[in-house]
Amino acid sequence: MEPSGSSTTHQSNHTLNSTGGGCPREVNDKIRLCRFLCYGSEGDIYTAREEGGVSLESAGALLSLLQEGRGAEVVEEIKRFAQDGRAVRLGPSFFALALCSQHSELKTRQAAFKALKEVCRDPAHLFSFIQYKKELKEGMKCGIWGRALRKAVSDWYNEQDAISLAAAVTKCKQREGWSHQDMLRLSHTKPAHEAIALISKYVTKGWAEVQGSFADKENSEEVIKVLQYLEVVEKVKHSCDETEVVNLIEEHKLEREQLLTDHLKSKQVWQALLKEMPLQSMLRILGKMTANKVLEPGSLETQAVCERIQSETALKKAKIHPFSILLASENYKRGQGYQGKTKWEADSSILKAMDSAFYKSFMNVEPVGKCFVVAVDVSTSLSSVVPGTSISTAVAAAAITMIFSRTEAHTHVLSYSEGFLVPCSISADMSLAQTTVELVKIPGGSTDCTLPITWATENGKAVDVFLILTNNPLWTFTASPVESLQKHRQKSGAYSKLVMCGLTSIGHAIADAEDRGLLSICGFDLGALSVIRNLAQDLM
């Protein structure tokens, strides 16, 4: 990290030429489409944890691009957002693909159906896509199951690895009112080979039919593996023996979706599931496991969980982000779920393991390679809580500054209030608590969010992205932040972007909605970091 008070000027990656070239500054339909695919809205406001539905009314740019004959281009953008981890929410991608698959232009429809397997990578995605197609066809006389859709769905099943498909159909059996039985029946799927035929028969006819058809045949090695796997799934479904269920889970790595509700009332069953449970899933249920005495102080199970949580190998494999761990840690520390009456006493060894994992997981954050100014508004108390989380705004601000200062070589961290602005020295060896103290070392006052931009302009910093974190929904301006940004752009020659983040805000926007370099964030979550990353890289 470059020292915050350094006079060294980083050469921005967005330096403009003499004619004002570089990346386009205006918000066009392509930019609106990318915003929609990223977070489900074409506007310049991202609201954390908002899971609202998508509709034609919120997809104006998508419709415009299709009318202009740019359907194939739209499908490529859908694939990029769904595959590269750019999308905060995947629902908009499934909706957009469904819309493209029903467009009047043949090339667009063909491109959409060809992309189905790449965009919809698991059964839940496929069911969501089909449901969107159904909703888009409401009021039309024709059905959705034309030849092209039947072929695309058939190919989705036929091109899967057989064992992976067997696991998928037994873990996610139905969603959105659709089941695998519906998919195979309505698509008239003709299995490409015996292993797929076996799975198709299992889904549509049941285990008894499979046994009758395959028991006495000379089966291939692949078919035998699928038979053995499905036999285990059936065996666990009909078992009331706790020891047997535990043994089957441990031997065949079964997951909780493949078990009966009664099985999940057993402490021993949960202990077996935890051994191979994906790390992200495990972090989400630590409170429940502690409340139900599955994890008890000093137990072997608790020790094993702690080892997994702070294992660098496990963290790297799961690609766990430090902000995810912070959210899980603060929620666990809270000792109570947001819904229901579940309460627990946080285990000190688990909290210690999560603290260790927080610092280790910074290795999973890939640098963007831009120059950032992260400015924290300390004009009011930062003791309030970020909506929907257990994290105070002070801790959230400290974590955000740590993420950028530890992973981006050119990051300046500032704390500011009206009349005061202080560069903060956030080093890689500082803890979250130390960082929090460093940020709040100046007195409060009224908010002036133009100060960080003015500081960068006066100190000759060519900044790619200004990220301003505030606790206030309203600001007292000495000048408009947009005007200050324009002055910085003119002096530095960089097309700098401005992200205003209201950590406790429920809705606000920066003026000049036609400048693609301006974005507002309401609240904060892991998705907000993806949105900032996309904006910094000109991906939306």
Side-chain angles (χ1 to χ4, degrees):
M1 173 191 168
E2 186 177 305
S4 297
S6 169
S7 60
T8 305
T9 301
H10 166 69
Q11 185 64 41
S12 167
N13 293 330
H14 291 146
T15 300
L16 305 177
N17 59 34
S18 58
T19 60
C23 61
R25 297 186 177 194
E26 310 80 25
V27 177
N28 54 34
D29 282 341
K30 185 71 176 290
I31 298 302
R32 293 188 182 94
L33 170 67
C34 291
R35 287 175 177 175
F36 177 79
L37 294 175
C38 180
Y39 52 85
S41 169
E42 295 181 350
D44 59 355
I45 300 177
Y46 169 75
T47 303
R49 296 166 309 283
E50 186 176 67
E51 291 291 346
V54 292
S55 64
L56 289 172
E57 288 71 27
S58 60
L62 171 58
L63 291 168
S64 295
L65 290 168
L66 292 177
Q67 288 169 2
E68 291 171 14
R70 297 169 67 183
E73 186 181 343
V74 169
V75 171
E76 285 302 309
E77 209 62 60
I78 293 169
K79 284 163 60 178
R80 275 192 284 271
F81 270 84
Q83 289 178 305
D84 298 346
R86 299 181 192 175
V88 174
R89 296 152 190 155
L90 287 170
S93 294
F94 306 146
F95 175 87
L97 192 68
L99 191 59
C100 290
S101 75
Q102 294 179 190
H103 189 57
S104 58
E105 186 184 64
L106 177 61
K107 287 183 179 179
T108 299
R109 295 199 304 274
Q110 288 175 334
F113 285 125
K114 187 177 180 182
L116 181 63
K117 189 183 175 187
E118 296 171 77
V119 176
C120 300
R121 286 167 288 175
D122 65 38
H125 298 168
L126 178 64
F127 297 152
S128 183
F129 167 78
I130 296 296
Q131 180 59 21
Y132 278 128
K133 281 188 67 69
K134 181 186 176 184
E135 291 171 2
L136 288 167
K137 279 287 188 179
E138 290 293 337
M140 298 184 182
K141 292 182 180 179
C142 58
I144 66 170
W145 289 94
R147 183 184 301 170
L149 178 59
R150 294 200 304 270
K151 182 181 185 304
V153 172
S154 294
D155 289 347
W156 190 94
Y157 283 95
N158 279 323
E159 292 173 8
Q160 302 277 352
D161 168 74
I163 284 290
S164 297
L165 182 60
V169 301
T170 54
K171 283 191 284 188
C172 180
K173 298 173 185 176
Q174 58 184 22
R175 197 72 59 88
E176 304 274 358
W178 296 94
S179 68
H180 292 288
Q181 195 168 12
D182 295 328
M183 297 292 108
L184 294 169
R185 175 175 56 83
L186 292 167
S187 65
H188 305 164
T189 297
K190 294 181 179 177
H193 52 82
E194 277 288 275
I196 301 297
L198 189 164
I199 296 168
S200 178
K201 187 176 284 289
Y202 175 75
V203 167
T204 57
K205 302 291 185 181
W207 178 241
E209 285 282 336
V210 169
Q211 286 179 305
S213 300
F214 290 87
D216 299 324
K217 290 176 65 175
E218 279 195 33
N219 297 309
S220 67
E221 186 178 340
E222 185 179 37
V223 168
I224 291 170
K225 285 182 180 178
V226 174
L227 273 171
Q228 290 172 340
Y229 184 84
L230 293 177
E231 184 177 14
V232 169
V233 172
E234 285 296 309
K235 193 172 184 179
V236 81
K237 274 169 54 178
H238 294 92
S239 178
C240 297
D241 185 331
E242 184 179 72
T243 303
E244 182 180 44
V245 171
V246 167
N247 289 337
L248 290 170
I249 291 168
E250 292 180 343
E251 186 177 348
H252 300 281
K253 296 181 173 57
L254 298 181
E255 299 184 32
R256 58 177 164 174
E257 293 85 359
Q258 295 167 306
L259 306 182
L260 300 178
T261 303
D262 281 346
H263 294 151
L264 300 178
K265 296 175 183 177
S266 164
K267 177 178 171 179
Q268 285 70 33
V269 166
W270 275 110
Q271 288 172 343
L273 287 170
L274 282 172
K275 292 178 181 178
E276 295 292 338
M277 185 178 289
L279 193 53
Q280 189 74 66
S281 300
M282 188 174 74
L283 290 171
R284 284 196 293 265
I285 64 167
L286 286 173
K288 179 182 176 181
M289 295 298 96
T290 303
N292 294 343
K293 307 297 183 185
V294 175
L295 298 175
E296 296 187 270
S299 69
L300 291 175
E301 289 77 19
T302 299
Q303 290 175 29
V305 163
C306 289
E307 286 174 10
R308 276 196 70 199
I309 288 173
Q310 56 191 324
S311 161
E312 289 191 13
T313 303
L315 288 167
K316 198 166 187 176
K317 181 181 177 182
K319 299 179 181 178
I320 303 285
H321 195 282
F323 203 77
S324 285
I325 294 175
L326 180 63
L327 287 169
S329 177
E330 293 296 314
N331 185 49
Y332 182 70
K333 193 184 297 180
R334 182 172 180 259
Q336 184 176 350
Y338 288 108
Q339 297 176 342
K341 299 177 182 178
T342 306
K343 293 184 179 181
W344 60 88
E345 186 175 342
D347 185 287
S348 60
S349 63
I350 293 177
L351 286 173
K352 187 176 180 180
M354 293 177 87
D355 186 61
S356 172
F358 172 72
Y359 297 103
K360 289 178 180 179
S361 63
F362 279 93
M363 66 183 174
N364 291 332
V365 183
E366 292 185 19
V368 177
K370 305 290 184 181
C371 180
F372 288 88
V373 163
V374 183
V376 181
D377 170 18
V378 294
S379 62
T380 59
S381 169
L382 291 171
S383 61
S384 52
V385 174
V386 177
T389 76
S390 301
I391 304 177
S392 72
T393 49
V395 171
I400 294 163
T401 59
M402 287 175 71
I403 287 165
F404 284 95
S405 62
R406 286 190 177 210
T407 59
E408 300 295 341
H410 301 283
T411 296
H412 307 281
V413 177
L414 313 172
S415 62
Y416 71 96
S417 180
E418 186 180 35
F420 295 94
L421 183 143
V422 177
C424 301
S425 299
I426 309 297
S427 61
D429 60 350
M430 288 174 69
S431 69
L432 184 61
Q434 290 170 329
T435 304
T436 305
V437 171
E438 176 70 14
L439 292 175
V440 294
K441 61 186 181 183
I442 65 171
S446 299
T447 298
D448 181 358
C449 66
T450 65
L451 287 174
I453 305 172
T454 303
W455 173 87
T457 306
E458 291 176 351
N459 285 277
K461 309 291 184 183
V463 177
D464 290 307
V465 181
F466 290 95
L467 173 58
I468 297 181
L469 308 172
T470 180
N471 219 13
N472 298 312
L474 299 172
W475 305 296
T476 303
F477 299 145
T478 55
S480 162
V482 176
E483 290 175 6
S484 298
L485 185 69
Q486 296 291 5
K487 289 178 182 177
H488 178 77
R489 287 171 174 175
Q490 290 167 6
K491 184 172 181 180
S492 67
Y495 178 51
S496 305
K497 302 180 176 73
L498 171 62
V499 180
M500 290 294 303
C501 179
L503 294 173
T504 59
S505 179
I506 56 171
H508 63 271
I510 311 171
D512 193 0
E514 294 308 307
D515 187 331
R516 68 173 289 187
L518 303 179
L519 185 73
S520 294
I521 294 176
C522 301
F524 208 86
D525 60 5
L526 185 59
L529 290 165
S530 295
V531 171
I532 295 166
R533 186 182 186 86
N534 286 337
L535 183 71
Q537 293 180 307
D538 295 318
L539 299 177
M540 64 178 210

